[in-house]
Amino acid sequence: LPCDKCFFSVKVFRDHCMGKKHIKAYKKYLQSKLDQDPGYNLYSVLEEQNEKIVGLRYITEFIHPDGNKKPLYHCRLKSCRNAQGDAGHMSSHMLGVRHRRAWIQEDQKIFSITCFEQVDEYIDGHFEILQRDYFHISRDKSLENYSKVELKKFRPFQW
């Protein structure tokens, strides 16, 4: 638990749990648990969401060399402006219109599709199958690069 304290009554315990310091410590404790869960990865998040996805081959998964932290991700599509973060952030990015439009323009070389409805319609006919195409994701086990992504400072290309 986040606080190393002993309580001799339920009332004192409840009062402690309602305090600002405890709530802050508890949030920090929960976040550290999530940060250390190596099972929390993009595959599991996308599988749970069950949405149509594209552009897996433009995603790099950064794995901490110790294997004791959750993987982090970076999108290499130029129009995505170095989108990076954990699995939750990357899944939101990949399901967003910016990533989908960038994939249509940079991978499919179609520049006439611009509005959300057109993007969605195109994705309906050209999506990737997670179980089949997830292996297209690049993997990087460099501590230096992992640390840069963790700070959202990873910039592999200067556009």
Side-chain angles (χ1 to χ4, degrees):
L1 293 173
C3 302
D4 187 24
K5 297 185 181 279
C6 279
F7 301 98
F8 295 105
S9 81
V10 174
K11 182 185 180 332
V12 174
F13 175 70
R14 275 195 216 132
D15 290 344
H16 169 78
C17 290
M18 299 303 286
K20 289 180 183 179
K21 287 182 182 178
H22 174 78
I23 292 170
K24 185 177 178 179
Y26 188 67
K27 285 180 181 178
K28 189 175 180 179
Y29 170 79
L30 287 178
Q31 187 60 47
S32 73
K33 285 292 187 192
L34 283 176
D35 288 345
Q36 294 173 2
D37 181 7
Y40 178 73
N41 62 30
L42 186 58
Y43 184 91
S44 62
V45 173
L46 289 173
E47 186 176 48
E48 190 176 295
Q49 290 176 335
N50 198 27
E51 295 281 341
K52 295 174 181 165
I53 53 170
V54 294
L56 283 168
R57 72 186 185 119
Y58 294 98
I59 305 300
T60 302
E61 179 179 60
F62 294 88
I63 301 165
H64 194 278
D66 294 343
N68 62 354
K69 285 188 157 189
K70 65 183 177 184
L72 298 174
Y73 301 88
H74 175 267
C75 180
R76 292 186 308 277
L77 287 167
K78 184 177 179 182
S79 298
C80 290
R81 302 183 201 150
N82 287 306
Q84 52 198 292
D86 66 7
H89 178 84
M90 190 52 60
S91 69
S92 295
H93 166 72
M94 290 182 71
L95 298 174
V97 74
R98 173 179 285 162
H99 175 80
R100 291 171 175 227
R101 183 184 305 128
W103 176 78
I104 290 170
Q105 292 176 349
E106 295 175 40
D107 188 85
Q108 304 291 295
K109 306 295 185 210
I110 298 171
F111 300 97
S112 59
I113 296 176
T114 55
C115 73
F116 175 76
E117 291 81 14
Q118 293 172 320
V119 168
D120 223 27
E121 188 178 312
Y122 187 82
I123 298 300
D124 279 344
H126 298 86
F127 61 94
E128 297 167 347
I129 298 170
L130 182 63
Q131 293 81 355
R132 181 191 70 199
D133 298 320
Y134 192 78
F135 77 92
H136 290 298
I137 287 182
S138 303
R139 294 197 169 61
D140 185 322
K141 293 185 179 184
S142 155
L143 178 59
E144 180 184 356
N145 289 343
Y146 185 93
S147 299
K148 286 180 182 178
V149 176
E150 197 170 30
L151 297 169
K152 299 195 183 294
K153 302 277 186 196
F154 184 71
R155 303 285 185 267
F157 311 111
Q158 297 300 322
W159 291 302

